[in-house]
């Protein structure tokens, strides 16, 4: 069977899938249901489990493999799996989590090899020391965590994949605008989302941790920078500037940033972050779309559909 990410409305499904997310809900009539996000290496799809029993809520948890039968349907411009049968995978069945988890196209080691030269381009010793300290501290998780639970770079090694793409964008922009401080820009790019290794639970069945829900990755990283500076005996403006880069990278308060960018490097970081996230979403959606057709509706992009031209 083709992957779930490439299925079209009308396709019938009988396959193993991994539960990426599972949430409980109640209909207007008071009946319980579950919303499951099911995935394999090609992508994910939403499915509803109606009249969910309490024991099903206990069984169908994130990071669980299930055998699912059903049909793909179109629901308000998005594909959805209509479940006709579902059961947990059996221990003796030939499937494991690694078979169903999407990951970056490049290995984590290849990505880190691409990232490393940018660290050594940081000339300011305080900025470089803080950056290296935090990368060393969180390296193991940084190499395998996703950048988000959904929408963009939400796969194994998605976080470092996102950062490496952003660094390449940053280098190109800095070459065009040499007045930019590359030390601040590169460090800001590398560190801006490292707090997600504490905000999120891990690369499989990713959910928000208690710390993630209560603090969020921006606040977490601002504290991490302060602790790193203290441990390294670093004082000075660089610490505050790096904290501002992290605090402001979402751009606006309503988008989750406690402060709007007030450094030109912070402004550029925000744009680079936005460009790379949106391009990742668009490339993945269009890769599943035939020439001459539209993608499904992309909620983070104003619920728009995007056309895939037939020209080369």
């Amino acid at each position: 069977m083709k992957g779930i990410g490439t299925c079209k409305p009308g396709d019938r499904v009988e396959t193993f899938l991994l539960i990426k997310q599972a949430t409980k809900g109640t209909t207007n009539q008071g009946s319980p249901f579950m919303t499951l996000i099911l995935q394999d290496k090609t992508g994910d799809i939403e499915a509803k489990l109606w009249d969910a029993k309490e024991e099903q809520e206990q069984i169908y948890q994130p990071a669980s493999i299930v055998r699912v039968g059903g049909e793909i349907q179109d629901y308000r411009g998005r594909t959805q799996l209509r479940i006709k049968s579902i059961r947990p995978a059996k221990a003796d069945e030939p499937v494991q989590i690694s078979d169903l988890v999407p990951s970056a196209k490049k290995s984590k080691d290849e990505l880190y090899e691409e990232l490393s030269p940018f660290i050594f381009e940081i000339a300011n010793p305080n900025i470089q020391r803080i950056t290296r300290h935090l990368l060393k501290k969180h390296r193991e998780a940084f190499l395998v965590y996703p950048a988000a639970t959904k929408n963009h770079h939400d796969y194994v090694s998605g976080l470092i994949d996102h950062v490496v793409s952003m660094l390449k964008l940053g280098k190109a922009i800095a070459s065009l605008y040499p007045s930019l401080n590359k030390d601040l820009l590169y460090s800001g790019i590398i560190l801006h989302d490292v707090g997600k290794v504490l905000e999120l639970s891990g690369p499989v069945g990713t959910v928000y941790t208690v710390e993630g829900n209560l603090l969020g990755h921006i606040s977490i990283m601002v504290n991490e920078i302060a602790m790193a500076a203290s441990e390294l005996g670093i004082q000075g403006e660089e610490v505050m500037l790096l904290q501002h880069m992290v605090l402001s990278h979402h751009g606006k308060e309503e988008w989750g940033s406690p402060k709007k960018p007030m450094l030109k490097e912070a402004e550029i970081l925000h744009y680079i972050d936005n460009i790379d996230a949106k391009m990742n979403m668009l490339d993945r959606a269009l890769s599943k779309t035939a020439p001459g057709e539209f993608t499904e509706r992309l909620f983070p992009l104003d619920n728009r559909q995007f056309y895939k031209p037939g020209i080369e």
Side-chain angles (χ1 to χ4, degrees), residues 201-258:
S201 60
V204 179
T206 309
V207 295
Y208 285 91
T209 62
V210 173
E211 191 174 4
N213 277 315
L214 294 180
L215 300 178
H217 71 282
I218 289 177
S219 298
I220 289 169
M221 200 59 211
V222 169
N223 290 334
E224 287 282 310
I225 291 170
M227 286 191 293
S230 177
E231 290 168 13
L232 295 169
I234 294 174
Q235 295 180 338
E237 190 178 41
E238 296 99 331
V239 179
M240 179 177 61
L241 296 177
L242 285 179
Q243 288 177 315
H244 178 74
M245 295 290 287
V246 173
L247 279 170
S248 62
H249 79 265
H250 281 185
K252 296 181 180 180
E253 291 94 336
E254 58 265 36
W255 294 345
S257 268

Side-chain angles (χ1 to χ4, degrees), residues 143-192:
L143 291 179
V144 297
Y145 266 53
T149 60
K150 59 182 178 180
N151 297 329
H152 80 93
H153 299 90
D154 53 337
Y155 44 78
V156 175
S157 297
L159 179 54
I160 187 172
D161 194 23
H162 179 42
V163 167
V164 168
S165 292
M166 288 178 63
L167 284 167
K168 292 175 181 177
L169 270 171
K171 185 172 185 176
I173 292 171
S175 69
L176 186 61
Y177 300 104
S179 65
L180 286 167
N181 185 309
K182 289 197 296 184
D183 295 349
L184 271 181
L185 183 60
Y186 289 176
S187 181
I189 290 171
I190 292 168
L191 298 180
H192 81 286

Side-chain angles (χ1 to χ4, degrees), residues 262-278:
M262 298 173 71
L263 299 168
K264 61 182 175 182
E265 292 79 13
E267 183 80 356
I268 295 302
L269 170 59
H270 164 61
Y271 290 134
I272 290 172
D273 188 25
N274 205 16
I275 288 170
D276 191 59
K278 287 182 176 178

Side-chain angles (χ1 to χ4, degrees), residues 15 18 44 55 61 67 110 129 155-156 181 195 215 220:
T15 189
L18 182 72
D44 56 45
E55 56 267 28
Q61 292 291 316
R67 179 77 178 181
E110 287 177 294
R129 287 177 68 205
Y155 44 78
V156 175
N181 185 309
L215 300 178
I220 289 169

